[in-house]
Every structure is written in structure tokens, then in C-alpha cells.
Amino acid sequence: MTITTDNYEQYLFRYAEGDLSPDERSAVEVWLTQHPEASEELENYLACPPLAPAPIPYPDKGSLRLRATVFAFPWRYAAAACIALLLGMGIWRYLSNTKDEPVLMRTGTSALPMMAENHNFLTIAKRKQPAVRLPKTITCRQETCTPVVSYCQDACTPEYDISSMEEGPAVAEVPNVQPLPEEETVVIIYEEILVPCTIEEPVLAWVEVDSTYSPTLADRLEYWSSQYTCQFYSQYQMARAKMLTSLSRRPF
Amino acid sequence: MTQQEYHRTINLRADDLYRFALHCGADTETAKDAVQEAFAGLWEHLPKVTPEKSKSFLFTIVYRKVASHFRHEKVIQNANNEWDKNPSCRPDESFDLKEALQQAFSHIPEVQRAALQLKEIEGYSVKEISSILDLSEQQVMTYLFRARVSMRKYLTALGYDNNNR
């Protein structure tokens, strides 16, 4: 055992605590006689009063218990609740999507929802929100007098100017439709909701007809539209069924 | 350890842990955080910690939290300068021995305060203190010795001797 200036404090501590063997105690006492300043330190150590601090209460033990309660929360129930919530949201969204049933076709000028000056509006099928409008034009080929469905170049709002619409490329001819007189032009605006729109699966929204044409056009148009609508509505139904199956929407 | 034992431990140890953190130099908010963190840690390890080991477990976490706080704050342990600059720390004739002792205690470095508290108030052995403070036993003994020597010198400087005032 060697007491040095580097380790003497440990020995003095153990000496004061009575933790040394008799031989070690003797060695320390001899060393102390040779180092009076260390001896003075030992006196200070022994003379220091013991600590007796007053108790200091923790301000809010309840919060510690509350924290324990939180930690004991059954996380599996929380997880189950989250899953149930997500399922419920999914079901709600599905059901809200399925609510968009088309209104039955209304034909004839008397059933028109609005009448713009010099125009007869014929509502063929009206959808609820959300609505993606992709207007198409159906013009009458002068050669064959059969309606041709084509895409409008730009998506339009209901308040658009028909004259600004440009006829897009003819994609398909609508079969089984009563041909229109060659001098008449029919513009049909489609309102497509939910159903990914293709030229083969248009959904008829309303028809705007220039009333400057033959006054009997409305009657003919009504017949024509009814044929058209049935055609398209069945196509819409097919498309909608397909959409629901795939549960996806194609962007436009 | 069961939940019941856990709650019993809160009643037993929360005050001592809080006092320990404060005497290590933490402010009230840091001390509260340290105690909360200690019990949170105990809860997390509830199955692994026995009631006998819980006390040292808690003190260990509290000390480490306080020590890391001081490292972050870069507190300079210079009690003499603090004493000179802070008039409230000047010796006062109205101080009794208890207050003087508290003054002397706050004068010593934080690690010495922690070691002395654990030994004289909480009753830990040198070996247990070394585990809590993450020091060697030789370092603990050295700090304990220096702590009491420093406090005694401080009391003497204040005019207190063995006969008290």
C-alpha cells in the first residue's frame, strides 16, 4: 500500500469511515505525521456537520401516476380504433360516391331547367358533384346527316360560349340515331361525373339547340335525344360499373 | 415490479429525487423533468426492475438528466466567484448553522454535491454511488472527502466553528 498525493484522499476517507485494516490505519497515521496539511484536511472532514436538508415535496405526484396510466393505455385498442376509423372513412367515401345517380332524362322544352334567350336547353341527364366537365360536340355531318360525337378541345364551364367551341376530331359515329336534317347543328354538352370519359362512353348532360332552326326541331330533337340518351345512359351504366370495379379514376 | 409497487415508489421516492435534483443545481423545471423522466424510465422497464433496485435506478436517471442539462448549459462551477458576485450569498449574521451548511453545500461542485447527497441523505454505499454517478469507487471516495473538506472550510470562512454560533 502506497499513499501518494494523488490517492491520499481515498485513504483518508476510508480512514474516517473506519474501513481500513489495522495495518492500513497505522500506515495512514504515519503518513499523516509527515504531511500536516493533509492532517488538517482530515480534521476538516471529521468536523463538518452532517447534511440534514429539509424535505422538498415534488409538486405534482399525480402527474407521475397519470403518466403511468397513459403508458398503460392499451395500444392494441387504439390501433383497432384507428383501423375501424379508416374503414369507416373508406365505407363512407364509397357510399357517398355511389349516391351520384343520374337524374332521369328530361326532354322537351317544357321540362327545361332554364331558358336562355334564343336557345332551348334540353336536359338529358344531370349529375351531382363531383363533376368533371368535358364538353363534346355532336354535329351533324352534312353528308350523312348523322350525329357525330367528338371531343371539345377545351374543358368548359356551363356558362361557356357555344360559338367558341371548336369541333374536335370525329372519333365515332353514334349508331342507331335518327338522322338530323343537314341544315341543323346540334351541340351537346356532356357532363361526366365519376366515370372516366372516353368518346365511346359519353354521358349526356344537356343539349343546347339553336332555336333559329326549324321550329319542329325540338320535337325531332326530343325523339333524337331520347334515343341518344338511352344509348348513352346504358353506356354510362356500363362505364360506371367498370369504374366501380376498378375503384379508380382516370385523370383528364 | 408491479404497477402497485410502482405507485408506491412514486410516494416513496418522488420527493427525495426532486430534492436530489435541486441540490445538484437544477432549477425547478429541470428537476421536475428529471423526476418525470426517471419514473417514465422505470415504467418502461417495469418488469425488469425490482423494488430493491428501483431507488438506484431512479437516482441514476435523475442524475444523468441533471448532468446532461448542465453540460448543455455549460455551467461553470466556480463557487468562489459566484459567492463574490452574488450579494445574497455573502455571510450574514442572521444565518444559523443549518442555513450556513446549506450555503456551504451549494458552494461545492455539482458532482460532489450529488455524491454527498447520495451518501449522507440517501444512504448509498460507495459502490452504489459509483454506479449511479458512473464513476470509479476511487473517484467517489475522493469527491466525498473533498466535499466535506470544502464545506468545512467554507463554514470556517463564514465564522462557524464546532461550537456553532
Side-chain angles (χ1 to χ4, degrees):
Chain A
M1 160 180 151
T2 306
I3 304 174
T4 66
T5 52
D6 291 329
N7 65 11
Y8 76 97
E9 288 156 319
Q10 302 165 31
Y11 282 103
L12 294 186
F13 173 82
R14 291 173 63 195
Y15 180 88
E17 296 290 308
D19 195 28
L20 293 175
S21 66
D23 289 341
E24 287 172 331
R25 285 186 70 87
S26 300
V28 167
E29 287 164 356
V30 167
W31 188 87
L32 284 171
T33 59
Q34 299 161 357
H35 300 85
E37 59 285 352
S39 183
E40 186 181 341
E41 286 188 31
L42 180 61
E43 283 177 19
N44 280 325
Y45 179 88
L46 293 170
C48 181
L51 286 178
I56 303 178
Y58 183 79
D60 185 14
K61 289 197 188 71
S63 66
L64 299 174
R65 293 190 191 92
L66 185 62
R67 180 179 292 267
T69 302
V70 170
F71 286 158
F73 184 75
W75 294 107
R76 59 179 181 275
Y77 293 137
C82 286
I83 292 170
L85 181 65
L86 287 171
L87 279 175
M89 286 172 64
I91 292 169
W92 174 81
R93 186 169 181 177
Y94 170 76
L95 290 176
S96 64
N97 286 343
T98 59
K99 285 178 187 171
D100 291 326
E101 293 295 335
V103 174
L104 289 177
M105 179 194 73
R106 289 179 291 173
T107 60
T109 57
S110 60
L112 292 175
M114 57 180 173
M115 289 288 288
E117 189 174 0
N118 299 325
H119 288 90
N120 291 325
F121 289 85
L122 184 68
T123 301
I124 304 302
K126 191 171 181 180
R127 299 300 177 82
K128 296 178 183 177
Q129 291 296 327
V132 176
R133 294 177 178 275
L134 189 64
K136 303 187 184 79
T137 60
I138 299 180
T139 57
C140 176
R141 287 187 184 281
Q142 292 192 349
E143 300 80 13
T144 60
C145 293
T146 54
V148 175
V149 179
S150 60
Y151 271 99
C152 179
Q153 295 300 315
D154 299 310
C156 303
T157 64
E159 303 300 323
Y160 60 84
D161 180 9
I162 297 172
S163 63
S164 69
M165 290 175 58
E166 295 180 8
E167 179 182 341
V171 179
E173 292 188 6
V174 180
N176 302 325
V177 175
Q178 185 76 16
L180 293 174
E182 60 183 350
E183 68 275 15
E184 292 171 344
T185 300
V186 176
V187 177
I188 301 176
I189 308 303
Y190 295 92
E191 189 176 59
E192 295 138 4
I193 303 176
L194 297 179
V195 180
C197 175
T198 63
I199 197 66
E200 292 80 18
E201 299 171 342
V203 176
L204 219 57
W206 48 272
V207 174
E208 182 178 0
V209 178
D210 189 340
S211 62
T212 57
Y213 288 108
S214 166
T216 61
L217 177 61
D219 295 332
R220 292 204 298 277
L221 188 60
E222 183 175 340
Y223 170 78
W224 173 80
S225 299
S226 64
Q227 298 293 318
Y228 224 102
T229 302
C230 289
Q231 183 83 30
F232 282 97
Y233 188 60
S234 63
Q235 289 180 359
Y236 158 74
Q237 282 183 314
M238 288 166 56
R240 188 168 180 279
K242 196 187 299 182
M243 184 275 293
L244 290 175
T245 304
S246 64
L247 293 176
S248 61
R249 299 185 189 184
R250 283 179 277 164
F252 292 95
Chain B
M1 181 180 254
T2 64
Q3 287 187 26
Q4 211 170 7
E5 286 166 335
Y6 171 84
H7 289 119
R8 208 175 301 133
T9 305
I10 293 175
N11 292 329
L12 272 177
R13 304 289 174 220
D15 296 342
D16 295 340
L17 290 165
Y18 185 57
R19 179 179 59 189
F20 176 66
L22 288 173
H23 285 164
C24 284
D27 55 63
T28 52
E29 285 307 310
T30 305
K32 278 172 65 177
D33 287 346
V35 173
Q36 285 178 354
E37 196 167 310
F39 279 103
L42 179 62
W43 181 262
E44 198 178 320
H45 297 91
L46 213 54
K48 303 174 195 172
V49 180
T50 62
E52 298 75 29
K53 292 266 170 65
S54 63
K55 184 180 173 184
S56 59
F57 180 90
L58 291 166
F59 273 95
T60 302
I61 296 180
V62 166
Y63 178 74
R64 286 178 188 173
K65 171 77 177 173
V66 172
S68 70
H69 172 77
F70 277 115
R71 275 195 295 275
H72 177 71
E73 297 290 327
K74 295 180 183 175
V75 172
I76 299 173
Q77 297 287 339
N78 193 335
N80 285 332
N81 287 343
E82 288 174 4
W83 180 73
D84 288 337
K85 287 176 187 173
N86 188 349
S88 67
C89 292
R90 291 183 183 279
D92 190 326
E93 287 187 1
S94 66
F95 272 19
D96 60 9
L97 179 60
K98 197 172 178 183
E99 290 170 345
L101 194 59
Q102 191 63 36
Q103 184 80 27
F105 180 68
S106 64
H107 169 86
I108 60 177
E110 163 238 318
V111 66
Q112 293 181 16
R113 281 205 298 272
L116 200 59
Q117 270 198 106
L118 291 171
K119 179 154 191 317
E120 296 200 3
I121 301 171
E122 306 302 334
Y124 282 112
S125 66
V126 169
K127 186 177 179 181
E128 290 167 328
I129 295 171
S130 71
S131 171
I132 292 171
L133 302 184
D134 197 23
L135 300 168
S136 66
E137 291 184 33
Q138 289 74 21
Q139 283 176 306
V140 171
M141 288 189 280
T142 301
Y143 287 143
L144 287 171
F145 184 82
R146 288 179 185 173
R148 286 176 62 91
V149 169
S150 297
M151 284 175 61
R152 179 59 194 167
K153 285 181 178 176
Y154 190 87
L155 287 172
T156 303
L158 290 180
Y160 289 91
D161 55 22
N162 284 343
N163 297 323
N164 298 335
R165 232 186 223 187

